[in-house]
Structures are given as C-alpha cells and as structure tokens.
Amino acid sequence: MVGLCRILWAACVVILLAFASTAQAQLTDESRDYYRGWVETADRAEKAVDANKASNAAFEQLRADINDYREIFDRVRNQNSERIRTLEGQIAALGPAPTDGKTEPPDLAQLRKHLEDQLNAVQVPRIIAQEAFSRANGLIDEIDRVIRARKTKTLLERGPTPLNPIYWAPAWQDIQESASALVNETIVNIRTDTVREKVQNNAPAIVVLLVIGVVLLWRGKAWSQFAGDYLRSLGGRGTGVWTFVISLFRILLPWIGVMCLWSAVYLTGALGIRGLLLWEHVPGWAAAILYFNWIGRQLFLLGEREGFKILTAPQIAVLRVYVDLLAIMLVLHDLVLLQEQIENISDASRAVISFPVILATAFLLFQLQRVRSQDIAEDPEDSPKGAGFGKLVNLFRRGLYLLGIFSPVLAAAGYINAAEAIVFPAVKTIALIAVLVIIQQFLGNLYGWLSGKGDAGRDSLFSVVVGFILAIIALPIIALYWGAREADLTEQWARMLQGIDIGGVTISPTNFLTFAVIFAVGYGLTRLVQGGLRTSLLPKTKLDPGGQNAIVSGTGYVGIFLAALVAITGAGFDLSSLAIVAGALSVGIGFGLQTIVSNFVSGIILLVERPISKGDWIDVNGQMGYVRDISVRSTRIETFDRTDVIVPNSDLISGSVTNYTRGNTVGRVIVPVGVAYGTDTRVVEEILREIANGHPMVLANPAPSVVFQGFGADSLDFEIRAILRDVNWVLSVKSDMNHEIAKRFTEEGIEIPFAQRDIWLRNPEALRPQMAANASAAPSAAQTPVELTEADLDADSDGDADGDTH
C-alpha cells in the first residue's frame, strides 16, 4: 500500500513538472533548479523517516531545511491573487466559450486565448507551490512525530536502580576519573609554552579583568545601595519601585564581575577540552545562583510590603537558604549531564550520580512547602493569595511541589529520566511563577506611582491586565521547561499565523491585529472629530443644544461604521463567501433581537426628526423630567427628584409624549382658587388679575386672564391663566402667586372656604336606648339636625353616604 502511494505521488510530481515545462514563461531556470533541490530534500527526508535510523540532531537539521523551503512556498502560493482575480473577471466578461461546433469571431477567440495563457502563467507557480507546501507540511509532521516518539521512549525507559549497592563503587570511580582527567588535562595544558606565551601577551587584559571582577564582587552591593539612595531622591520613595531596581543592580553587578573573571581565565588558554566545555557553562550557572538569590529576597520584600504574615528571622534565613540550594541543585544536575556527554559513563553510574541530586532537590521542595504551609496555617487570612494570579496559580504551584516530591520514588524505581523530567522543571516553573508575581507587583507599583493612585494601583485593572499578559508570555517558557522543542513552538506559531479557514474566510492573528489597529485609529479619529464639533464648531452656530447633540451622535455612528468597514477591508476579510450563512443567521437574529432593532431604528428617527432634544422637559408614560442623553437604543431622562429613567426609544416613537419645552420655553400656568359664597366676584377677579400682572415671569402679551369657573360645592371657583417666559419655573410661579393670593385675601377680608357637611338622621329613635343608658334624659325629635366634622366622617368605617345608623 505504501509503495502504491509513493508511485502515485511520483506520478503527480512528474505531471506537475511536465505541465510546468510546457509553459515557457511560467517558471524561470532558477525556479526550476530551486524546485529540483526541494524534491531532492523531500525524497531524502522521506527515506530518513522510513528508515528511522538518523539521529535526532540529523532529523532537526533536515526539518530546518524543509521549513526554509516551506516558508518560500508559502509566500509564492499567496502571490498574484489580485492578478488572477482580474484575469478571471476578464475571461468571465467574454462569456462562455462556444460549443456544439460553433465558432466565435477570430478577434474574440484570440483575446480569450491570450487571457487564458496569462492566467495559466500566473497560476502554475501557485499550483506547484501549493503542492510543495502541502508536502513540506506532511514531512515536518512526520519528523516531529518521530522525534516525539523517541523522547517519549527515553522518558519512560527504565534503567538500573540507584539503590543497588553494586553500582555505587563504579559510579564513585567514574566521578574520580572525571575529576582526575579534568585536573591532569588542565595541569598539562598550563605547562605548555603556548599557554605561557598567551598569558604573557594577554597579561594587561587579564589583570584589568581580574581587578574589575574582584571589585564588582566586593563592592557591588554597596554601589547598588548608593545608586538606590540617589534614585529615591528623584521621587517615589516608599512605592517599592526603586527597591526593585536596586535589586536588579545587586545581581547585575556581581554577574558582570563573574563574567570579567570568566573572561580573564578564558584569555589565559589554560583550560583543556574538558575544562572549556565546563567553563562555557559558568556564566549560566552564576546567573542561576544570583537569579534564585534575587527571587528569595524579592519574595520576602514583597510579602513585607503586601502585609503578609512576617516570618521570624530564623525562618527567613532558612527559607532563603533553601532557595539558594535549589539553584545549586540545578547546577549540579547540569554538571551530571555534562559528565555524561564528556566521559560517556554507563547508565548505572549515571543513575547513581543523579539520584542524590534528585533526592536533595525533592527534599528542598518539601521543606519550602512545609514552611509556607505552617505560615498559612498560623494565619490563613494574612497569607498571600497568589499575589494577583488567584487560587488557580496557588493550586498549580502546589501540584508542582507534589510532583517534585514524588520524583525520588520514580528515580529509586529506575526511571531516572522521568524523575529528572519532573523535579527540575518543577523547580524552574515555581521560580518562573515567583518572577511573574514580582514583575506584576513592580509594574503595579510603578503604575500607582506614575498615576498618583498609590497602593490602589496594585489592585487596579491595569495590574490584572499585566498579570494576564505575563501569564501568556510565560506559557512558551513553561512549555520549554517541560520538554517542548523550540521547533514545536515555532510550528504552532506558524500554523496560527496561517489562520483558520471558516466558510472560505481565512482568519489569522495578523488579520485580527490589522483589523484592531485600523479600527482603533478610525475610532480615535471619530472621537476627535466629535470632540471638535462639540467644543469648537457647533457652539458657534445657531443650532439648539438638541440639534448639536444629534449632529455629534450621528457623526459618531457614521464614523464607527466607516472605521469598521475600512478595518474589515484592510484586514483582507472576504465576507462574500459568508453571505449565505449571514443571511440565514440574520433571520434568526431578527426574530430574537427585534426589540433591540426596533429601539435602534427609533433612535435613528429621534436623531433625524428630533421630536425631542437634549434638555427638553417631557412627560412619557407618567415619567416627567429633562432629557439628558439620546443614544441609539434608549433615552435617559432625569426626573425632578434627580433619578435617571431609561426609556426605550420605541416608547418615544410609538407612545404619547408631552414635550413642554419643544422649540421654546414659553408655557402656561394655571392657578385655581376658591372663595366663600357671598363674596363680590368682581373684586376677586380684579385682585387675581393684579396678582398675575405683577409677577415678573408672566408675559404681558398675551395678557393673563382670570376665569370664573363656576359654583362649586363649597366655594366660588376661579382660575388664573397666564403665559410664562420659561415654563421650567411653573412651580415657583405657582407658589409665588398662592402666597400673594393668601396675603391679599386676608387684607381684603375675603374668606377661602373649606368643606362642610350637614347630616340629618332619619331614625333618631334608634339612638334613644343607647342614649338613655348614658344619660338620665335625652331630647327627642322627629328629625334632629346634628353637625359633624370631617374627622367624624372619617371615623365612619362603613362609609355610608346617607348617614344611616347601625
């Protein structure tokens, strides 16, 4: 079956090459040579994968070569898209070619052939590139699968157990031999004339490097503190920002000193092959030790600033020693790996040498978790909760501790590779999490200082966003710690950049980034134009505030729509293939969101017709107040008790709305008043007219009027009807007129009556037995008038209007 597939594949390649050779202008000689080189590389890769005998390094190199070809093919297959669409449109404009033996005019046939030749000339390279790109993808996947299978096999492979005493003596002998070989090689190398001559020639540089290195190691801490005092004088004292910067100096200056000493030794040329292999790793080892020392100090300072429970001095000292020892364990593990590469020791010796390092690392992890658990158990409320990363990070950290502690069990059982692949990545990951917490807190402190928010900056949205970004950045680093290859990460990144095809539309991070940038620029320009209209241009016109608000809002909607349209076009999204899907979805969305769509359309109508404007006094559905904002979906009304009422725009269009200030603020006030029967109505009318004319808010034209409404049940009813300059003052004017009416009526002796009722009892004899019991005698009459007050009527719980007794 495999052979048949290969025959078919070779046939396809031959056909493609034959097709390419028939088109004279399609491929240049250079392109053909490049393609032949690709075919040879692909054939070689297929043979290597089938044989599965090449080393991992050879597979990695082969994969890198194929990836270079794939990048070229990816660029070629995306070229000439616009040209192809243009030619296809030209051919389509000519109409279908004649069939059934019919012929078309010679000029038209010649033009069709010319366009088809051009289309083939630009399509053939794309077809070949697409085929090669697909083949390269398949080969890379196969190579990755082989390498992952080998790593998995190595990881799960069981070797000799380090607990077997038989292997201890050979392992110790291998260590002694490695050390002796290193020392003897170095001594022999130092005694050579070449090394002596090199030392003499480089003596000045060696001396300068040694002096600088010693000075930096000796005085680096003091200089860092001096730099910190100077930086604190610039401001920000107490924020923790300069403490973080100083801590970087405390590890940077010593590391530079180590590098000076390392360079001085390297210039001597005294080291042999083994010594050079070890010496190349010294800068990394020094950086690891300083890095872990910095983490221990920063976590202590972080806990002190955040108000966490402060450990005792011995606990702090022990904790920092544990962190420093973890760095030493990582260095020792690196030494074990180097010894295996240099000396080619046996698997048994390798297991025996690695086991103490694994056991010590697991013990240190256990002690770290134990100290932290005791601290949390003593005062769980004061313990740090992930310093901004939440309970999930704490759970992840505890899982790493457990994995690290479990690793010696695997090592004792003979799974040395699996144990190393767990415990040391766990240490690195825990250290990385600590660094992320430290950096997040530093950026939060910096933001709080620069923004003036102080400690609140650490708990702001900025700090949360920074933590999320740091977590995303840390993911590939963690993946590398736990065995992922750089090629795996770059492959996933390349696949992500190629995008996902959804309904014929390719969506990739590049498209999204382009869309976001263009839309953000368009949105910002729209807001700038709105701000200019609102503050500079429109106030100089004669438009009312409602019209100005409508223009500003309309400009915003149009600007955002255009920004989205330009962003979609600029990002390269071809939404034509999604038209059918969008049409089907629009039906469902239309039914589900018809209320929102109705409000949206109503908002557009409000902005265009402007039946109400910002600042109008309206009454809608019993809600009375001032219009404060008109948006696309709803309108915000501020009532007279200073509460906001959100009214859907559809209610303003379909319902009845009373607008008291539409167009102008002129409005009418009506002040009712009643006087007692027997009062001279003409005098009352004259007084009320004088009161109305005397108020400054009442317009003289039209003049106010006094209306004698009629004869009420208790009074003669009058009304003052006047037109006000500003109807917004109607309540104040009404109150002023009532005060004046009360004053004038008192001066003129005019009575303002209140309600009185005369009640006649039809059967007073029913009350006599009760009255006889309460008094020695009682008046009797067929009908006795009794005058009751309003309070007596209110006390009649049965509400009888005829006054019948019960």
mmCIF file of all heavy atoms in Angstrom, residues 567-588:
data_model
loop_
_atom_site.group_PDB
_atom_site.id
_atom_site.type_symbol
_atom_site.label_atom_id
_atom_site.label_comp_id
_atom_site.label_asym_id
_atom_site.label_seq_id
_atom_site.Cartn_x
_atom_site.Cartn_y
_atom_site.Cartn_z
ATOM 1 N N ALA A 567 -11.644 48.803 8.304
ATOM 2 C CA ALA A 567 -10.830 47.799 9.007
ATOM 3 C C ALA A 567 -11.056 46.408 8.424
ATOM 4 O O ALA A 567 -10.109 45.639 8.247
ATOM 5 C CB ALA A 567 -11.176 47.818 10.495
ATOM 6 N N ILE A 568 -12.305 46.072 8.118
ATOM 7 C CA ILE A 568 -12.587 44.757 7.525
ATOM 8 C C ILE A 568 -11.915 44.635 6.165
ATOM 9 O O ILE A 568 -11.308 43.608 5.831
ATOM 10 C CB ILE A 568 -14.113 44.545 7.416
ATOM 11 C CG1 ILE A 568 -14.723 44.402 8.806
ATOM 12 C CG2 ILE A 568 -14.425 43.318 6.575
ATOM 13 C CD1 ILE A 568 -16.235 44.339 8.803
ATOM 14 N N THR A 569 -12.014 45.701 5.366
ATOM 15 C CA THR A 569 -11.387 45.670 4.042
ATOM 16 C C THR A 569 -9.866 45.623 4.150
ATOM 17 O O THR A 569 -9.202 44.860 3.445
ATOM 18 C CB THR A 569 -11.822 46.900 3.238
ATOM 19 O OG1 THR A 569 -13.247 46.956 3.188
ATOM 20 C CG2 THR A 569 -11.278 46.829 1.825
ATOM 21 N N GLY A 570 -9.306 46.444 5.040
ATOM 22 C CA GLY A 570 -7.849 46.481 5.192
ATOM 23 C C GLY A 570 -7.271 45.193 5.743
ATOM 24 O O GLY A 570 -6.143 44.822 5.422
ATOM 25 N N ALA A 571 -8.041 44.495 6.572
ATOM 26 C CA ALA A 571 -7.556 43.230 7.133
ATOM 27 C C ALA A 571 -7.614 42.091 6.132
ATOM 28 O O ALA A 571 -7.080 41.013 6.402
ATOM 29 C CB ALA A 571 -8.361 42.871 8.376
ATOM 30 N N GLY A 572 -8.275 42.317 5.000
ATOM 31 C CA GLY A 572 -8.326 41.278 3.972
ATOM 32 C C GLY A 572 -9.406 40.258 4.163
ATOM 33 O O GLY A 572 -9.359 39.185 3.555
ATOM 34 N N PHE A 573 -10.413 40.549 4.977
ATOM 35 C CA PHE A 573 -11.517 39.612 5.170
ATOM 36 C C PHE A 573 -12.429 39.664 3.944
ATOM 37 O O PHE A 573 -12.975 40.720 3.606
ATOM 38 C CB PHE A 573 -12.329 39.961 6.418
ATOM 39 C CG PHE A 573 -11.605 39.688 7.698
ATOM 40 C CD1 PHE A 573 -11.375 40.705 8.605
ATOM 41 C CD2 PHE A 573 -11.145 38.427 7.999
ATOM 42 C CE1 PHE A 573 -10.714 40.464 9.788
ATOM 43 C CE2 PHE A 573 -10.471 38.174 9.173
ATOM 44 C CZ PHE A 573 -10.260 39.191 10.078
ATOM 45 N N ASP A 574 -12.593 38.532 3.290
ATOM 46 C CA ASP A 574 -13.522 38.421 2.175
ATOM 47 C C ASP A 574 -14.790 37.767 2.695
ATOM 48 O O ASP A 574 -14.867 36.547 2.849
ATOM 49 C CB ASP A 574 -12.906 37.592 1.043
ATOM 50 C CG ASP A 574 -13.815 37.538 -0.178
ATOM 51 O OD1 ASP A 574 -14.803 38.297 -0.206
ATOM 52 O OD2 ASP A 574 -13.539 36.728 -1.086
ATOM 53 N N LEU A 575 -15.786 38.592 2.966
ATOM 54 C CA LEU A 575 -17.007 38.091 3.597
ATOM 55 C C LEU A 575 -18.055 37.651 2.589
ATOM 56 O O LEU A 575 -19.172 37.314 2.971
ATOM 57 C CB LEU A 575 -17.600 39.184 4.498
ATOM 58 C CG LEU A 575 -16.665 39.704 5.599
ATOM 59 C CD1 LEU A 575 -17.382 40.748 6.425
ATOM 60 C CD2 LEU A 575 -16.173 38.568 6.468
ATOM 61 N N SER A 576 -17.700 37.661 1.294
ATOM 62 C CA SER A 576 -18.700 37.272 0.298
ATOM 63 C C SER A 576 -19.105 35.814 0.448
ATOM 64 O O SER A 576 -20.260 35.456 0.237
ATOM 65 C CB SER A 576 -18.146 37.523 -1.106
ATOM 66 O OG SER A 576 -16.946 36.785 -1.306
ATOM 67 N N SER A 577 -18.145 34.952 0.837
ATOM 68 C CA SER A 577 -18.472 33.536 0.989
ATOM 69 C C SER A 577 -19.319 33.266 2.215
ATOM 70 O O SER A 577 -19.891 32.195 2.345
ATOM 71 C CB SER A 577 -17.181 32.714 1.070
ATOM 72 O OG SER A 577 -16.375 33.181 2.119
ATOM 73 N N LEU A 578 -19.383 34.235 3.123
ATOM 74 C CA LEU A 578 -20.213 34.063 4.313
ATOM 75 C C LEU A 578 -21.580 34.726 4.155
ATOM 76 O O LEU A 578 -22.334 34.804 5.132
ATOM 77 C CB LEU A 578 -19.504 34.655 5.534
ATOM 78 C CG LEU A 578 -18.205 33.978 5.970
ATOM 79 C CD1 LEU A 578 -17.639 34.699 7.173
ATOM 80 C CD2 LEU A 578 -18.416 32.519 6.282
ATOM 81 N N ALA A 579 -21.896 35.179 2.951
ATOM 82 C CA ALA A 579 -23.148 35.916 2.768
ATOM 83 C C ALA A 579 -24.354 35.030 3.038
ATOM 84 O O ALA A 579 -25.331 35.451 3.672
ATOM 85 C CB ALA A 579 -23.207 36.479 1.351
ATOM 86 N N ILE A 580 -24.304 33.772 2.555
ATOM 87 C CA ILE A 580 -25.458 32.879 2.751
ATOM 88 C C ILE A 580 -25.642 32.570 4.227
ATOM 89 O O ILE A 580 -26.756 32.611 4.765
ATOM 90 C CB ILE A 580 -25.263 31.576 1.941
ATOM 91 C CG1 ILE A 580 -25.160 31.925 0.447
ATOM 92 C CG2 ILE A 580 -26.401 30.613 2.202
ATOM 93 C CD1 ILE A 580 -24.898 30.721 -0.427
ATOM 94 N N VAL A 581 -24.515 32.267 4.905
ATOM 95 C CA VAL A 581 -24.602 31.981 6.337
ATOM 96 C C VAL A 581 -25.104 33.199 7.101
ATOM 97 O O VAL A 581 -25.960 33.112 7.990
ATOM 98 C CB VAL A 581 -23.230 31.518 6.870
ATOM 99 C CG1 VAL A 581 -23.297 31.260 8.365
ATOM 100 C CG2 VAL A 581 -22.777 30.274 6.132
ATOM 101 N N ALA A 582 -24.579 34.380 6.735
ATOM 102 C CA ALA A 582 -25.018 35.595 7.413
ATOM 103 C C ALA A 582 -26.495 35.860 7.161
ATOM 104 O O ALA A 582 -27.228 36.316 8.040
ATOM 105 C CB ALA A 582 -24.184 36.776 6.938
ATOM 106 N N GLY A 583 -26.967 35.569 5.928
ATOM 107 C CA GLY A 583 -28.379 35.761 5.632
ATOM 108 C C GLY A 583 -29.257 34.845 6.459
ATOM 109 O O GLY A 583 -30.321 35.256 6.953
ATOM 110 N N ALA A 584 -28.819 33.587 6.624
ATOM 111 C CA ALA A 584 -29.611 32.669 7.445
ATOM 112 C C ALA A 584 -29.610 33.088 8.908
ATOM 113 O O ALA A 584 -30.640 33.027 9.589
ATOM 114 C CB ALA A 584 -29.061 31.249 7.289
ATOM 115 N N LEU A 585 -28.451 33.534 9.372
ATOM 116 C CA LEU A 585 -28.389 33.968 10.767
ATOM 117 C C LEU A 585 -29.195 35.233 11.003
ATOM 118 O O LEU A 585 -29.753 35.433 12.085
ATOM 119 C CB LEU A 585 -26.932 34.198 11.173
ATOM 120 C CG LEU A 585 -26.053 32.955 11.303
ATOM 121 C CD1 LEU A 585 -24.615 33.354 11.620
ATOM 122 C CD2 LEU A 585 -26.575 32.014 12.378
ATOM 123 N N SER A 586 -29.241 36.103 9.998
ATOM 124 C CA SER A 586 -29.954 37.363 10.185
ATOM 125 C C SER A 586 -31.433 37.147 10.436
ATOM 126 O O SER A 586 -32.069 37.935 11.138
ATOM 127 C CB SER A 586 -29.755 38.254 8.961
ATOM 128 O OG SER A 586 -30.305 37.636 7.804
ATOM 129 N N VAL A 587 -31.993 36.064 9.852
ATOM 130 C CA VAL A 587 -33.414 35.786 10.092
ATOM 131 C C VAL A 587 -33.642 35.448 11.561
ATOM 132 O O VAL A 587 -34.526 36.011 12.226
ATOM 133 C CB VAL A 587 -33.886 34.636 9.177
ATOM 134 C CG1 VAL A 587 -35.337 34.287 9.485
ATOM 135 C CG2 VAL A 587 -33.729 35.022 7.720
ATOM 136 N N GLY A 588 -32.817 34.541 12.086
ATOM 137 C CA GLY A 588 -32.963 34.189 13.495
ATOM 138 C C GLY A 588 -32.667 35.352 14.413
ATOM 139 O O GLY A 588 -33.368 35.581 15.407
#
